[in-house]
Short mmCIF file of all heavy atoms in Angstrom, two decimals:
data_model
loop_
_atom_site.label_atom_id
_atom_site.label_comp_id
_atom_site.label_asym_id
_atom_site.label_seq_id
_atom_site.Cartn_x
_atom_site.Cartn_y
_atom_site.Cartn_z
N SER A 1212 122.06 43.74 139.04
CA SER A 1212 121.98 42.41 139.64
C SER A 1212 122.84 41.39 138.90
O SER A 1212 123.32 40.43 139.50
CB SER A 1212 120.53 41.94 139.71
OG SER A 1212 119.95 41.88 138.43
N GLY A 1213 123.07 41.63 137.62
CA GLY A 1213 123.95 40.72 136.87
C GLY A 1213 125.39 40.78 137.36
O GLY A 1213 126.05 39.74 137.46
N ASP A 1214 125.86 41.97 137.69
CA ASP A 1214 127.22 42.10 138.22
C ASP A 1214 127.33 41.41 139.57
O ASP A 1214 128.30 40.70 139.85
CB ASP A 1214 127.60 43.57 138.37
CG ASP A 1214 127.79 44.28 137.05
OD1 ASP A 1214 128.04 43.61 136.02
OD2 ASP A 1214 127.68 45.53 137.04
N TYR A 1215 126.34 41.63 140.42
CA TYR A 1215 126.36 40.98 141.74
C TYR A 1215 126.31 39.47 141.59
O TYR A 1215 127.03 38.74 142.27
CB TYR A 1215 125.18 41.45 142.59
CG TYR A 1215 125.31 42.86 143.10
CD1 TYR A 1215 124.58 43.90 142.54
CD2 TYR A 1215 126.15 43.16 144.17
CE1 TYR A 1215 124.68 45.19 143.02
CE2 TYR A 1215 126.25 44.46 144.65
CZ TYR A 1215 125.51 45.47 144.08
OH TYR A 1215 125.63 46.74 144.57
N ALA A 1216 125.45 38.98 140.69
CA ALA A 1216 125.33 37.53 140.48
C ALA A 1216 126.65 36.94 140.01
O ALA A 1216 127.04 35.84 140.43
CB ALA A 1216 124.22 37.24 139.48
N THR A 1217 127.36 37.67 139.16
CA THR A 1217 128.66 37.21 138.69
C THR A 1217 129.64 37.07 139.85
O THR A 1217 130.31 36.05 139.99
CB THR A 1217 129.23 38.18 137.63
OG1 THR A 1217 128.38 38.15 136.48
CG2 THR A 1217 130.65 37.81 137.23
N ALA A 1218 129.70 38.08 140.71
CA ALA A 1218 130.62 38.04 141.85
C ALA A 1218 130.27 36.90 142.80
O ALA A 1218 131.15 36.18 143.28
CB ALA A 1218 130.61 39.37 142.58
N ILE A 1219 128.99 36.72 143.06
CA ILE A 1219 128.55 35.65 143.96
C ILE A 1219 128.88 34.29 143.36
O ILE A 1219 129.35 33.38 144.05
CB ILE A 1219 127.05 35.80 144.29
CG1 ILE A 1219 126.85 37.05 145.16
CG2 ILE A 1219 126.52 34.55 144.99
CD1 ILE A 1219 125.40 37.49 145.31
N ARG A 1220 128.67 34.14 142.08
CA ARG A 1220 128.99 32.89 141.39
C ARG A 1220 130.49 32.59 141.48
O ARG A 1220 130.90 31.45 141.72
CB ARG A 1220 128.51 32.97 139.94
CG ARG A 1220 128.49 31.66 139.21
CD ARG A 1220 127.77 31.72 137.85
NE ARG A 1220 127.91 32.97 137.10
CZ ARG A 1220 126.97 33.91 137.01
NH1 ARG A 1220 125.82 33.77 137.62
NH2 ARG A 1220 127.18 34.99 136.28
N ILE A 1221 131.32 33.60 141.29
CA ILE A 1221 132.77 33.41 141.38
C ILE A 1221 133.15 33.00 142.80
O ILE A 1221 133.97 32.09 142.99
CB ILE A 1221 133.54 34.68 140.93
CG1 ILE A 1221 133.31 34.93 139.44
CG2 ILE A 1221 135.02 34.55 141.26
CD1 ILE A 1221 133.78 36.31 138.97
N LEU A 1222 132.57 33.64 143.80
CA LEU A 1222 132.86 33.27 145.19
C LEU A 1222 132.46 31.81 145.43
O LEU A 1222 133.23 31.05 146.05
CB LEU A 1222 132.12 34.21 146.14
CG LEU A 1222 132.37 34.00 147.63
CD1 LEU A 1222 133.85 34.14 147.99
CD2 LEU A 1222 131.54 35.01 148.45
N ALA A 1223 131.32 31.40 144.93
CA ALA A 1223 130.89 30.01 145.07
C ALA A 1223 131.86 29.05 144.38
O ALA A 1223 132.16 27.97 144.91
CB ALA A 1223 129.47 29.83 144.51
N GLU A 1224 132.38 29.45 143.22
CA GLU A 1224 133.37 28.63 142.52
C GLU A 1224 134.62 28.43 143.38
O GLU A 1224 135.18 27.33 143.43
CB GLU A 1224 133.78 29.29 141.20
CG GLU A 1224 132.72 29.28 140.13
CD GLU A 1224 133.09 30.16 138.94
OE1 GLU A 1224 134.21 30.75 138.90
OE2 GLU A 1224 132.24 30.28 138.02
N LEU A 1225 135.06 29.48 144.04
CA LEU A 1225 136.25 29.38 144.89
C LEU A 1225 136.02 28.44 146.05
O LEU A 1225 136.93 27.69 146.45
CB LEU A 1225 136.67 30.76 145.38
CG LEU A 1225 137.07 31.76 144.30
CD1 LEU A 1225 137.35 33.12 144.91
CD2 LEU A 1225 138.25 31.25 143.50
N VAL A 1226 134.81 28.45 146.59
CA VAL A 1226 134.46 27.49 147.65
C VAL A 1226 134.50 26.08 147.07
O VAL A 1226 135.10 25.18 147.66
CB VAL A 1226 133.07 27.82 148.25
CG1 VAL A 1226 132.61 26.70 149.17
CG2 VAL A 1226 133.12 29.15 149.00
N ASP A 1227 133.90 25.88 145.89
CA ASP A 1227 133.91 24.57 145.24
C ASP A 1227 135.32 24.09 144.92
O ASP A 1227 135.59 22.90 144.96
CB ASP A 1227 133.08 24.59 143.95
CG ASP A 1227 131.58 24.68 144.20
OD1 ASP A 1227 131.15 24.43 145.35
OD2 ASP A 1227 130.85 25.02 143.24
N GLU A 1228 136.21 25.03 144.62
CA GLU A 1228 137.60 24.69 144.32
C GLU A 1228 138.40 24.38 145.59
O GLU A 1228 139.57 24.01 145.51
CB GLU A 1228 138.26 25.84 143.55
CG GLU A 1228 137.71 26.01 142.15
CD GLU A 1228 138.16 27.31 141.48
OE1 GLU A 1228 139.17 27.91 141.93
OE2 GLU A 1228 137.50 27.72 140.51
N GLY A 1229 137.78 24.55 146.74
CA GLY A 1229 138.45 24.23 148.00
C GLY A 1229 139.39 25.30 148.51
O GLY A 1229 140.22 25.02 149.39
N LEU A 1230 139.29 26.52 148.00
CA LEU A 1230 140.20 27.58 148.43
C LEU A 1230 139.76 28.27 149.72
O LEU A 1230 140.56 28.94 150.37
CB LEU A 1230 140.36 28.62 147.32
CG LEU A 1230 141.13 28.13 146.11
CD1 LEU A 1230 141.05 29.13 144.97
CD2 LEU A 1230 142.58 27.86 146.48
N LEU A 1231 138.48 28.15 150.06
CA LEU A 1231 138.01 28.74 151.30
C LEU A 1231 136.69 28.13 151.71
O LEU A 1231 136.00 27.51 150.91
CB LEU A 1231 137.83 30.26 151.16
CG LEU A 1231 136.58 30.76 150.44
CD1 LEU A 1231 136.09 32.03 151.09
CD2 LEU A 1231 136.87 31.01 148.98
N VAL A 1232 136.38 28.33 152.98
CA VAL A 1232 135.05 28.09 153.51
C VAL A 1232 134.50 29.48 153.79
O VAL A 1232 135.08 30.23 154.57
CB VAL A 1232 135.09 27.25 154.81
CG1 VAL A 1232 133.69 27.10 155.39
CG2 VAL A 1232 135.73 25.89 154.55
N CYS A 1233 133.43 29.83 153.10
CA CYS A 1233 132.84 31.16 153.24
C CYS A 1233 131.82 31.15 154.37
O CYS A 1233 130.85 30.39 154.33
CB CYS A 1233 132.17 31.58 151.94
SG CYS A 1233 131.41 33.21 152.01
N HIS A 1234 132.05 31.98 155.38
CA HIS A 1234 131.13 32.07 156.51
C HIS A 1234 130.13 33.21 156.33
O HIS A 1234 129.02 33.13 156.84
CB HIS A 1234 131.91 32.28 157.81
CG HIS A 1234 132.95 31.24 158.04
ND1 HIS A 1234 132.67 29.89 158.05
CD2 HIS A 1234 134.29 31.33 158.23
CE1 HIS A 1234 133.79 29.20 158.26
NE2 HIS A 1234 134.78 30.06 158.36
N GLN A 1235 130.53 34.24 155.60
CA GLN A 1235 129.66 35.40 155.40
C GLN A 1235 130.25 36.25 154.28
O GLN A 1235 131.47 36.32 154.11
CB GLN A 1235 129.58 36.22 156.69
CG GLN A 1235 128.62 37.37 156.67
CD GLN A 1235 128.61 38.11 158.00
OE1 GLN A 1235 129.54 38.03 158.79
NE2 GLN A 1235 127.55 38.85 158.25
N PHE A 1236 129.38 36.92 153.53
CA PHE A 1236 129.86 37.86 152.52
C PHE A 1236 128.83 38.96 152.34
O PHE A 1236 127.66 38.82 152.70
CB PHE A 1236 130.12 37.17 151.17
CG PHE A 1236 128.86 36.75 150.45
CD1 PHE A 1236 128.19 37.64 149.61
CD2 PHE A 1236 128.34 35.49 150.61
CE1 PHE A 1236 127.03 37.27 148.96
CE2 PHE A 1236 127.17 35.11 149.96
CZ PHE A 1236 126.52 36.00 149.13
#
Side-chain angles (χ1 to χ4, degrees):
S1212 60
D1214 290 338
Y1215 287 104
T1217 295
I1219 292 168
R1220 193 170 35 257
I1221 294 168
L1222 183 58
E1224 289 170 3
L1225 298 175
V1226 170
D1227 289 344
E1228 291 168 19
L1230 290 171
L1231 78 144
V1232 176
C1233 180
H1234 306 305
Q1235 186 180 21
F1236 72 86

